[in-house]
Amino acid sequence: HVQLVESGGGSVQAGGSLRLSCVDSGFMRRRYCMGWFRQAPGKEREGVASIDSDGRTNFADSVKGRFTVSQDNAKTTLYLIMNNLKPEDSAMYYCALRRAGCSAAAADYNYWGQGTQVTVS
């Protein structure tokens, strides 16, 4: 049974930083993709960053150079380090797991966390 639990959201001023965490209590898997998505009110859920089982990362153009995605050595915790935050980064942030390679489409992910709110003013 896979369970994803996010934490680390909060309110920061523009230019500040936050680190989001996502604990994955699921089973070991050979090939997978872990992704971060966000959704602001009235907008569609969009991909922010992803990391696959080979350690390859991808970032949305809007966050390149500001956000970093990583996993701990045990690969049970996913991180999203967000620097130089902007008001347009404000959204509910979700981590997601796909039991395959990475995809930009939220619908392709098999498991989702409950989300953590990020507000930048």
Side-chain angles (χ1 to χ4, degrees), residues 3-11 17-24 34-37 68 70 76-82 91-96 112-119:
Q3 186 175 12
L4 305 177
V5 180
E6 303 100 332
S7 62
S11 297
S17 298
L18 282 173
R19 186 181 78 164
L20 305 185
S21 300
C22 172
V23 177
D24 172 6
M34 295 293 297
W36 285 100
F37 290 78
T68 302
S70 64
T76 58
T77 304
L78 176 71
Y79 300 103
L80 183 68
I81 299 170
M82 306 184 294
M92 185 72 78
Y93 282 71
Y94 300 89
C95 71
W112 290 84
Q114 82 289 350
T116 186
Q117 179 68 40
V118 171
T119 303

Side-chain angles (χ1 to χ4, degrees), residues 8-96:
S11 297
V12 296
Q13 291 188 337
S17 298
L18 282 173
R19 186 181 78 164
L20 305 185
S21 300
C22 172
V23 177
D24 172 6
S25 62
F27 50 87
M28 295 293 291
R29 58 195 71 86
R30 288 199 310 168
R31 185 165 178 254
Y32 63 87
C33 179
M34 295 293 297
W36 285 100
F37 290 78
R38 66 186 180 188
Q39 188 167 19
K43 295 189 176 182
E44 291 188 358
R45 192 168 295 193
E46 63 172 352
V48 176
S50 63
I51 183 167
D52 69 12
S53 45
D54 292 325
R56 291 173 296 207
T57 59
N58 253 305
F59 298 91
D61 288 343
S62 59
V63 305
K64 280 181 182 176
R66 299 188 297 122
F67 290 13
T68 302
V69 63
S70 64
Q71 288 184 284
D72 66 346
N73 288 337
K75 298 191 177 180
T76 58
T77 304
L78 176 71
Y79 300 103
L80 183 68
I81 299 170
M82 306 184 294
N83 295 317
N84 191 21
L85 282 161
K86 303 176 181 181
E88 51 263 43
D89 295 318
S90 297
M92 185 72 78
Y93 282 71
Y94 300 89
C95 71

Side-chain angles (χ1 to χ4, degrees), residues 92-113:
M92 185 72 78
Y93 282 71
Y94 300 89
C95 71
L97 167 67
R98 184 176 192 230
R99 291 183 294 184
C102 286
S103 168
D108 289 340
Y109 287 74
N110 307 102
Y111 302 96
W112 290 84

